[in-house]
Structures are given as C-alpha cells and as structure tokens.
Amino acid sequence: MDAIKTYIETNKERFLNELIELLKIPSISADSAYKDDVLKTADAIKDSLARAGCDHVEICETDGYPIVYGEKIIAPNLPTVLVYGHYDVQPPDPLDLWESGPFEPIIKKTDLHPEGAIFARGACDDKGQMYMHVKALEYMTETNCLPCNVKFMIEGEEEVGSANLAVFVKNNQEKLKNDVILISDTGMISNTQPSITTGLRGLSYVEVEVTGPNRDLHSGLYGGAVANPINVLAKMIASLHDENNHITIPGFYDKVEELSREERDEMAKAPYSLDAYKKALDIDDVYGEAGYVTNERNAIRPTLDVNGIWGGYTGEGAKTVIASKAYAKISMRLVPNQDWEEITELFKTHFESIAPEGVRVKVTPHHGGQGYVTPIDNIGFQAASKAYMDTFGVKPIPQRGGGSIPIVALFEEELKSKTILMGFGLDSDAIHSPNEHFGIFNYFKGIETIPLFYKYFTELS
Ligand code: BES
Ligand code: MN
Ligand code: MN
C-alpha cells in the first residue's frame, strides 16, 4: 500500500474528529452575532497549521475578520504553492429543514456516499475541503516528503465578498509570492469521474428598493388608484427576462465571450444525465436561456436571479394593505470579459429607467467580482491532472464551474499567478442549503491526492 494510504488509514479517526471539532464552531461571517465564533475558528485553524508543520503561523488582522497565514519554506530555489481556502460559512437557515443541527456534525450514509458523509454547515464549503490541505501538509512533514515550499492563506470573509482579503493581497505581494495557487473550494463530476474546475463565474449583487406612497395604505380605500410598489417590483423583475429567457438589460451581453461550436461540443462530452439531474431536484423539467443546454446555462452563460423579495404583510392571517415599499436582492452571474462594475452600472441605469411614474427606485450595489478561466496548458493543470489520474485511476475532465470565488481573478491581477481549482465536493453535497455534507471518501481522497499535486508540480517546474 502507498505510504499516504497507510498514513490515512492509521489516522482516519483523528482526521475525522479534528474536522468535526472545527465544524462545531458556527463561523457565520454574514451574521455579527457569531463574531466570537468566527474569531475562535481563525485561532483553531492557526493552531492546526502549526501542528501540521508550518514553521511560521500568524493571525493577520484586517478591517474585518482575520486572515490565517502559515508557511513552511524549505529552500528558496524550490517552487512555492500558495493554498487558499475559507473558514467562514453561510448562514444555516432555514433551520427547520435540517435533519440534524447544522453545527452538530454527524456521519450518515447516503446513496452517493455509501461510506458515509459528514453533515454540517461548512462540511464541504469550505472547512472540509480546506482541512484536507492541512492534513496533506501534516502527512508530508511527518514523512519528510514535502517537495517544495508551501504558504497557507485561509480567510474568514469569502461568503461575504472577500473585501478585506483584496486589500491584504494588494499590500502583501512579497509575503504571498508563489508559483501557483491551489484551492479546493469547488466540486467534481462524481466519485468515479473526477473533474478539474477551469472556470468560475463573476458576480454582481445588488439590492433594490421601490417606494410608492409615503405610508402603508388601506388596500380598499386606495387600491387601484396608486402604484402598489410590490406589484410594480414584480412587473419590473419579470421584464428583466424576455420570452427566450435572455436578459433584457441593454448592453448586458456586449462583452460575453461566445464559445465556439468545437468548445461546446467538447463540453458536451462530459458524462451527464438530464434525468438524474431532474430527479435529484424533483423537477419536471429544466428551465433557462433558449439555445443552450443545462451544462452551458450554468457555466458559460450569464444569469440574473432574484435571491430574495419582500414587502407588505407576511404575518399570520390576512391584512388588506398596500405597502409603501418593496425590496429585492438580485444577483447576476457573469462570464469572462464581462466587468462586474460595468454590469452593476448597466443594471442600475436600466432598472431606474423602467420604473413607472408613481414610484421611486433605489439600487444599492453589494459586492461583486470578476470571473476567471484557468488555461489547461500550464504545469499546474498538468500536475493536478496527473495527481487525480493516480488516485482515481481515471483522467479528470476539465469543466467550467458556475459558482464564484471573486478573489481568484484578483490573485492573477495582483500576484500574477494562476489558480488551480482542485475540488473534491459533489453538486449534490448541498452547499449553502440545509443538510450540507461532505463524503468521507471525498475527504480522504483529497488528502491522498494533494501531496501528488505537490510532487508533480515540483517535478514539472
Ligand atoms: N465555494 C463556493 C464557490 C463554488 C462552489 C464555486 C462550487 C464553484 C463550485 C464559494 O464559497 C461561494 O459560495 N461563493 C459565492 C460568492 C461569494 C462572493 C458570496 C457564490 O458563488 O455564491
Ligand atoms: Mn467556498
Ligand atoms: Mn460558499
């Protein structure tokens, strides 16, 4: 048996228990009520990096949550891998849909995870995937096989837009100098068909507010005679897509990179079952932009989605009222060449322009970020590909992902290095949803595959 397999086998209970302890801390970055827990998680990560063999670890303060930094520099002439991950998690709500507490990790078997999976918020996104790197480092230090230098940068604000990390990266170019950035915060096709994410979508996130009359009104006395902000908002939102589900904002598609027929044919070769997809989501049919298939709609095409909408009376029973205000949170996923700040401006101008007389509209931008595409003709990709090939026995397929990690584009801009996205999660792991989980198989496979990336990257450098 390989040394790494033996090491995992010998230490598997501890590897699981250490992750379980991390998952018990509710490090919800979006909710200030959890501030102490977020900070406690940062400390726990720092300690784990020191124990795993980093020579230097530190908590780097920012205007928000701290960044945990660690490094092990073995020789200046060797290549340096910079590992990025995040220790913050999404809010767990709606709580009543969890089968067990989001911060009370338990192991259960599922159809796709017959060996069991750890259920907890952050299990896959991203504590479980980030911790694979810590354990891979432990293995390499303990067995004296770390072939290159390594730096860790684990942040606590990924789920809220990484604004302070952007400042940290700009101010610490020398400290963060590296030859490749390695991230496990994405997924793969299945446990028998690994894939490497070669693209992330950009994001523009806005909030809109529609104001009608200066106070809530009796819907009988005033109904029909004044603009109802909720009716108006619903109509405005509906108008943002046409009958082909194209987005109607003028200029929205101007810079969208169109893939060639060959590139699209290549994408279509990835194993995929529409039936299984529909079944897993309990839907009769898929939905989306005309002219594109599902795997294109959620990866190479931009989107516009309402993430939340509210206003008026939502309590028990009925109240006959016309609300003074209506609100929505809207996100747009962007593809390469679309600039998120430009798109935010286009949205704002258009949304204000379609407001009817009788209401006022306010658009407030939240966060955003650029998309990213990793070339597949570099040694980082080749090293990752060889590593998966060794541990899965199957060649990984390059695949563009639909999610966003906005900081990745900034890494390239500021640090001039490419990012390799070695994800080990599955789409069905329910990240951001109730009952998030991470397969035990996936956790250990990640720990097994990562040292091989280091080995091949160093050999190819
Ligand atoms: N890990 C995800 C991103 C992801 C997941 C990319 C799966 C590809 C496949 C990350 O934590 C995330 O959720 N990002 C946010 C963006 C952020 C600015 C809030 C997202 O994509 O919504
Ligand atoms: Mn993540
Ligand atoms: Mn996330």
Side-chain angles (χ1 to χ4, degrees):
M1 212 177 356
D2 304 356
I4 175 76
K5 284 199 173 138
T6 314
Y7 194 84
I8 294 172
E9 190 55 38
T10 315
N11 293 287
K12 65 180 185 199
E13 288 305 315
R14 180 172 58 84
F15 282 6
L16 282 173
N17 289 332
E18 287 177 11
L19 175 57
I20 285 170
E21 288 310 307
L22 266 188
L23 291 169
K24 286 183 186 167
I25 322 175
S27 50
I28 307 165
S29 51
D31 188 343
S32 57
Y34 293 89
K35 185 171 179 218
D36 290 348
D37 291 303
V38 183
L39 296 173
K40 197 171 138 191
T41 311
D43 281 327
I45 305 292
K46 175 181 164 236
D47 294 345
S48 71
L49 282 171
R51 270 185 278 118
C54 282
D55 310 319
H56 168 73
V57 290
E58 72 186 290
I59 295 271
C60 305
E61 298 298 339
T62 71
D63 286 346
Y65 287 122
I67 291 151
V68 185
Y69 179 81
E71 64 179 32
K72 188 171 180 70
I73 307 295
I74 56 172
N77 61 320
L78 286 171
T80 301
V81 177
L82 174 69
V83 176
Y84 162 82
H86 62 97
Y87 64 82
D88 63 323
V89 301
Q90 286 274 328
D93 57 279
L95 281 175
D96 53 325
L97 295 182
W98 282 80
E99 283 168 21
S100 53
F103 300 104
E104 292 156 27
I106 61 157
I107 295 175
K108 281 193 297 189
K109 291 187 167 58
T110 73
D111 288 350
L112 290 175
H113 296 295
E115 297 88 355
I118 308 179
F119 282 74
R121 170 58 85 232
C124 177
D125 183 12
D126 179 41
K127 284 175 178 163
Q129 296 213 67
M130 175 268 295
Y131 207 65
M132 299 178 316
H133 288 269
V134 182
K135 293 299 98 179
L137 174 69
E138 174 192 312
Y139 162 73
M140 291 184 286
T141 359
E142 287 295 316
T143 60
N144 250 314
C145 72
L146 179 67
C148 60
N149 303 312
V150 54
K151 296 176 177 176
F152 276 79
M153 176 169 67
I154 313 295
E155 73 152 320
E157 298 187 314
E158 196 277 341
E159 299 292 9
V160 291
S162 305
N164 293 299
L165 179 67
V167 177
F168 180 79
V169 171
K170 285 187 181 134
N171 293 338
N172 290 280
Q173 312 243 357
E174 194 50 41
K175 183 189 190 98
L176 301 174
K177 210 166 169 283
N178 66 79
D179 295 284
V180 69
I181 296 171
L182 183 60
I183 304 180
S184 295
D185 194 21
T186 54
M188 53 178 193
I189 294 176
S190 75
N191 283 355
T192 49
Q193 179 55 70
S195 54
I196 300 176
T197 304
T198 52
L200 295 163
R201 286 195 284 190
L203 183 71
S204 162
Y205 203 113
V206 298
E207 183 162 332
V208 299
E209 178 190 284
V210 175
T211 308
N214 60 5
R215 60 187 164 88
D216 288 8
L217 302 173
H218 187 290
S219 67
L221 283 177
Y222 291 91
V226 296
N228 175 331
I230 301 178
N231 293 8
V232 167
L233 176 59
K235 213 167 169 173
M236 288 171 75
I237 287 173
S239 80
L240 296 175
H241 290 93
D242 69 12
E243 67 283 3
N244 288 317
N245 281 316
H246 288 299
I247 294 155
T248 56
I249 300 168
F252 186 84
Y253 291 99
D254 283 2
K255 295 192 175 166
V256 166
E257 169 207 62
E258 298 286 343
L259 266 64
S260 66
R261 190 65 259 172
E262 293 75 57
E263 287 172 296
R264 292 175 65 187
D265 288 345
E266 197 50 44
M267 279 182 71
K269 285 188 194 153
Y272 174 74
S273 155
L274 190 59
D275 277 336
Y277 188 86
K278 291 194 283 196
K279 199 158 165 258
L281 299 178
D282 241 323
I283 50 176
D284 300 329
D285 210 348
V286 291
Y287 186 92
E289 188 181 1
Y292 296 90
V293 299
T294 302
N295 273 345
E296 296 173 329
R297 288 170 177 166
N298 67 15
I300 58 162
R301 298 299 296 167
T303 61
L304 182 150
D305 277 296
V306 179
N307 299 102
I309 183 163
W310 70 103
Y313 184 69
T314 57
E316 195 182 332
K319 178 184 178 189
T320 46
V321 67
I322 292 174
S324 163
K325 285 177 186 288
Y327 307 83
K329 291 187 194 277
I330 299 175
S331 66
M332 289 162 276
R333 295 283 169 176
L334 310 175
V335 296
N337 301 341
Q338 281 183 299
D339 178 77
W340 78 272
E341 280 170 320
E342 207 173 297
I343 292 291
T344 305
E345 235 5 83
L346 289 179
F347 176 91
K348 187 168 160 41
T349 308
H350 177 67
F351 206 71
E352 285 166 356
S353 81
I354 60 173
E357 298 286 322
V359 299
R360 274 163 292 137
V361 166
K362 196 166 101 191
V363 176
T364 312
H366 278 274
H367 52 70
Q370 313 295 37
Y372 185 72
V373 174
T374 8
I376 58 172
D377 59 357
N378 60 40
I379 58 169
F381 186 86
Q382 285 155 18
S385 189
K386 281 164 78 82
Y388 280 97
M389 179 74 213
D390 281 5
T391 53
F392 286 82
V394 186
K395 198 167 176 228
I397 298 176
Q399 199 184 43
R400 295 262 293 261
S404 309
I405 311 177
I407 203 69
V408 172
L410 192 116
F411 285 158
E412 165 131 23
E413 212 175 285
E414 297 291 330
L415 305 175
K416 312 277 177 257
S417 38
K418 302 280 176 223
T419 291
I420 303 300
L421 298 158
M422 283 180 81
F424 292 90
L426 300 182
D427 282 356
S428 53
D429 286 346
I431 64 171
H432 295 203
S433 302
N435 306 308
E436 174 178 353
H437 53 279
F438 189 40
I440 291 175
F441 168 87
N442 303 66
Y443 180 51
F444 292 142
K445 258 308 186 231
I447 300 172
E448 188 186 330
T449 310
I450 290 163
L452 290 165
F453 172 84
Y454 282 69
K455 174 175 174 272
Y456 289 129
F457 185 76
T458 308
E459 281 172 16
L460 292 166
S461 287

